[in-house]
Amino acid sequence: MWVPGKGVGAEGESCTQVQLQDPSASFRFENSPEHRSFAESIPDGTFVASIRVTRYRVFDTEDARENRGIYRWANDFHSLTRDWVVREQLLFREGDYYLATLVQESERILRDLKFIYDARVRPWRRCGDQVDLEVITRDIWTFTPTVSFSRSGGENDYALGFRDTNFLGTGKQVALRYDSDEERSGTTVIYEDPALAGSRWRMRLSLTDNDDGHDRRFRLNRPFFSVYERWSAGVRLEDWELEENIWFRGDEVEEFNHQQRSVRVHGGVATERELEKQVGRWLLGYHYEDNEFAFSDSDIPPDELPEDREYSFPFVGYQSIEDEYMEAHNLNYLGRTEDLYVGEHYQWNLGYSAETFGATRDQVHFSGRYGNTLRVSERDLWLMDSEITGFLSVDDTDFENLWWTVNSRYFWRQSPKWSVFSGIRLDYTDGLTRDRQLTLGGQNGLRGYDRNYQVGDRSVVFNIEQRYYSDWHPFRLLRVGYAVFFDVGRAWFEGEDNGSNGGVLSNAGIGIRLNSSRAEKGSVIHIDLAFPFNKDDDVDSVQLLMTVKDRF
């Protein structure tokens, strides 16, 4: 056990410190009660005297299991994250006041970076009214040749290319990729900078050339990178064209071209705290969007094209967020620290899209979302969120593209390796334009059926899974988990015939989950076998799904 030590500071002050952890223990981010106790003894308002940064590579060569030629070569080939990249993300500098909330939030910001597997920020020495901090980070493998294949709902997708989310250790992302799925194929180039010129501004540029159109997007923004940040601003430009597909029973029944051009400028200013940990923010901006539709060269054209439409509106909004997080393991991912938001948050936006501003018609635009944690304990976690968006016509009070979603997720932890997950999602729509559809099937809820199998203007789906998070770590590269699941749900039109097999559908299945411990930390590979209970001639007796999702 490490114990606090005594020493003398540069000006004769008596110093107290915690000895360094064993490097392998630090590499694995093992819990250190001594460091935690020492951090709790540091009062807010102490001065930050120094910050030292310890950066670990992908593999721990101090561990005999990883002290092998292939792992040493991988470390040598990998560009270690630069010291200044880590320091740029911290919410404090040397000479600032020490605040435990900023230390904890800096940890979350570092862990949220695509190229950092885990991070710790903690005091290690105190001399009088000064404290020395250490920042520990561990890289993941960021140069990723993309060779992927997935199958879901009877359709095959594949991709070829490469991506580096930490180019030369600078934190910049560059990517070149060719994708092909049942809807389209094309080439994409991406450049992303999370700290433009060392500032809090972020920039992303992506260019895609598809066989059915193009996709060009540019974003420059300074977000509320901290819960207590005072302001944000940004601009987003988009210009894309693609072939839209309308589905029924898993088959494409209509195809047509859709081109959209949009501009969005926004900003926000934080107000005084509503409560001790509740922060309010006023939001302002302007949005312009032009949608044009045309017949494509498809042999299944629509009887009628969607109506061209333009939106042009200034908007105002308000956001409230509670500074409440918890750390978890083996929940959405395997074997790493997860920062779960467990506070209350809500946001609303209102805008007026008027012919005077260049819009097609006079409409009120509205959007809002609400989320809260209904229960949290060592054994269970219950989360709920809801989101609504759409337009309301001023002339006839009809809705256009109204979409309301309610989600509830419940986790019951039976042991560190076993847990039950259940979730229910409800969707309701009204006045959807002909280019938008509510669908159910495949990877979006009913895994025993083809993708986009059922359509409707409302849907409900319930999922329950028994999960197992194993300790198996093959080749020191992948964490492995398993799931047994049951899905039941339906999409339908109120009072309308939805065709054969249009009632409640259900399926059961088994699955494997693969979560990389060295690369793509936010991606979980799902390999599922699903067996549908409600079948007709168009439904296979078993579905094999291979997908990549952002959680277990």
Side-chain angles (χ1 to χ4, degrees):
M1 177 184 297
W2 298 113
V3 296
K6 291 285 186 178
V8 179
E11 298 181 4
E13 305 101 327
S14 177
C15 297
T16 304
Q17 70 181 58
V18 177
Q19 297 185 41
L20 291 175
Q21 268 187 309
D22 175 80
S24 287
S26 292
F27 181 92
R28 294 189 296 270
F29 295 93
E30 291 183 357
N31 182 39
S32 170
E34 293 75 31
H35 277 86
R36 185 174 64 250
S37 176
F38 186 71
E40 292 172 352
S41 71
I42 306 297
D44 284 350
T46 307
F47 288 99
V48 177
S50 69
I51 302 171
R52 70 183 184 196
V53 178
T54 301
R55 298 157 295 143
Y56 290 107
R57 296 184 184 271
V58 183
F59 294 96
D60 180 15
T61 55
E62 298 295 323
D63 186 333
R65 294 170 296 181
E66 297 181 14
N67 187 19
R68 301 181 181 181
I70 186 65
Y71 300 138
R72 291 194 298 270
W73 174 85
N75 274 352
D76 292 340
F77 186 78
H78 171 75
S79 296
L80 184 64
T81 300
R82 311 293 179 90
D83 181 279
W84 53 267
V85 173
V86 175
R87 292 177 183 271
E88 284 177 349
Q89 300 298 320
L90 302 177
L91 298 177
F92 51 84
R93 299 288 185 267
E94 293 172 348
D96 289 351
Y97 287 115
Y98 172 87
L99 294 173
T101 54
L102 295 186
V103 168
Q104 294 163 5
E105 193 168 4
S106 294
E107 279 190 0
R108 295 196 295 267
I109 290 172
L110 288 170
R111 280 196 289 264
D112 194 48
L113 294 174
K114 297 177 181 179
F115 46 89
I116 298 296
Y117 181 80
D118 206 339
R120 283 287 181 271
V121 182
R122 59 194 185 187
W124 70 275
R125 182 173 63 183
R126 178 185 177 188
C127 299
D129 63 350
Q130 298 186 2
V131 62
D132 299 303
L133 303 179
E134 62 176 345
V135 180
I136 303 172
T137 64
R138 185 175 120 199
D139 282 9
I140 62 172
W141 183 266
T142 58
F143 180 79
T144 310
T146 304
V147 182
S148 67
F149 173 83
S150 65
R151 180 175 176 81
S152 174
E155 302 292 343
N156 298 327
D157 304 343
Y158 70 90
L160 300 171
F162 75 90
R163 179 177 64 177
D164 194 338
T165 56
N166 191 12
F167 184 66
L168 298 179
T170 63
K172 323 302 182 187
Q173 178 184 171
V174 294
L176 175 64
R177 185 177 70 243
Y178 177 82
D179 295 277
S180 178
D181 57 32
E182 80 284 355
E183 297 182 9
R184 64 189 53 86
S185 60
T187 302
T188 299
V189 177
I190 297 174
Y191 176 77
E192 184 173 351
D193 189 339
L196 191 63
S199 70
R200 294 294 181 179
W201 287 86
R202 302 175 182 177
M203 190 269 282
R204 178 182 172 88
L205 174 67
S206 66
L207 304 172
T208 299
D209 183 21
N210 292 321
D211 57 7
D212 64 346
H214 62 269
D215 191 341
R216 307 182 186 105
R217 300 172 190 253
F218 173 78
R219 184 180 71 231
L220 177 66
N221 71 311
R222 185 186 188 274
F224 287 109
F225 55 86
S226 165
V227 173
Y228 302 106
E229 177 55 28
R230 301 296 301 171
W231 64 278
S232 73
V235 60
R236 186 183 71 203
L237 309 174
E238 295 184 1
D239 176 9
W240 52 261
E241 181 181 4
L242 54 77
E243 189 173 66
E244 293 276 15
N245 304 292
I246 303 300
W247 299 84
F248 189 76
R249 293 297 178 269
D251 297 323
E252 298 176 32
V253 295
E254 292 182 4
E255 294 178 341
F256 51 87
N257 282 341
H258 180 187
Q259 182 172 7
Q260 182 184 106
R261 293 176 291 271
S262 66
V263 177
R264 188 178 183 89
V265 181
H266 61 89
V269 177
T271 64
E272 295 297 324
R273 300 184 188 181
E274 299 173 347
L275 300 171
E276 182 180 355
K277 291 187 175 182
Q278 199 88 14
V279 177
R281 300 162 176 168
W282 282 103
L283 312 172
L284 294 169
Y286 169 77
H287 181 89
Y288 173 80
E289 181 181 314
D290 177 28
N291 295 270
E292 296 181 357
F293 302 91
F295 289 103
S296 66
D297 56 3
S298 170
D299 56 0
I300 48 173
D303 295 332
E304 181 183 357
L305 285 171
E307 179 185 356
D308 291 347
R309 59 185 186 273
E310 288 183 81
Y311 305 117
S312 179
F313 56 90
F315 64 86
V316 62
Y318 186 79
Q319 180 185 74
S320 177
I321 184 169
E322 186 178 10
D323 184 14
E324 199 69 49
Y325 290 83
M326 65 173 287
E327 289 187 9
H329 293 82
N330 286 346
L331 197 69
N332 292 312
Y333 304 102
L334 292 99
R336 72 177 180 88
T337 304
E338 302 176 42
D339 295 303
L340 298 179
Y341 182 75
V342 293
E344 181 186 38
H345 63 94
Y346 64 86
Q347 178 177 327
W348 56 262
N349 288 288
L350 283 176
Y352 185 61
S353 183
E355 295 181 32
T356 304
F357 303 143
T360 303
R361 58 182 63 88
D362 293 338
Q363 295 175 304
V364 175
H365 174 260
F366 57 90
S367 66
R369 64 175 181 264
Y370 176 83
N372 203 355
T373 302
L374 304 181
R375 178 173 171 78
V376 57
S377 72
E378 294 182 357
R379 295 294 300 273
D380 55 358
L381 177 66
W382 186 10
L383 306 171
M384 186 277 288
D385 61 83
S386 179
E387 186 169 356
I388 189 170
T389 183
F391 292 85
L392 179 64
S393 174
V394 174
D395 296 330
D396 52 20
T397 66
D398 286 339
F399 287 112
E400 179 177 284
N401 285 330
L402 168 69
W403 199 306
W404 182 23
T405 300
V406 179
N407 257 308
S408 175
R409 292 175 291 148
Y410 180 75
F411 300 86
W412 176 40
R413 186 179 296 279
Q414 300 151 303
S415 72
K417 295 183 181 179
W418 290 90
S419 69
V420 172
F421 163 82
S422 63
I424 186 168
R425 189 186 78 242
L426 300 95
D427 287 275
Y428 175 82
T429 67
D430 190 10
L432 292 187
T433 52
R434 291 176 55 85
D435 55 301
R436 302 194 65 188
Q437 265 192 309
L438 187 157
T439 65
L440 192 61
Q443 62 180 336
N444 71 341
L446 289 172
R447 285 164 277 193
Y449 299 85
D450 286 346
R451 185 185 304 181
N452 307 319
Y453 183 76
Q454 280 190 338
V455 299
D457 59 11
R458 62 203 67 193
S459 71
V460 59
V461 61
F462 172 77
N463 313 104
I464 186 168
E465 292 186 356
Q466 174 66 67
R467 297 176 171 180
Y468 177 67
Y469 305 83
S470 79
D471 289 331
W472 191 25
H473 196 189
F475 307 109
R476 314 294 296 170
L477 297 175
L478 295 170
R479 300 282 184 181
V480 183
Y482 305 93
V484 178
F485 58 84
F486 174 76
D487 309 322
V488 59
R490 185 191 182 199
W492 74 100
F493 295 98
E494 183 68 20
E496 295 184 25
D497 181 13
N498 203 19
S500 63
N501 218 24
V504 176
L505 304 177
S506 59
N507 63 257
I510 57 176
I512 298 175
R513 307 290 179 258
L514 305 175
N515 192 190
S516 175
S517 60
R518 311 295 174 171
E520 297 291 342
K521 64 176 182 178
S523 299
V524 182
I525 300 172
H526 289 229
I527 305 174
D528 292 317
L529 282 177
F531 305 89
F533 297 147
N534 312 87
K535 297 187 293 182
D536 61 13
D537 294 339
D538 295 328
V539 178
D540 294 332
S541 59
V542 60
Q543 288 278 359
L544 170 64
L545 298 89
M546 300 176 63
T547 56
V548 178
K549 297 187 178 182
D550 61 357
R551 61 184 62 180
F552 193 102

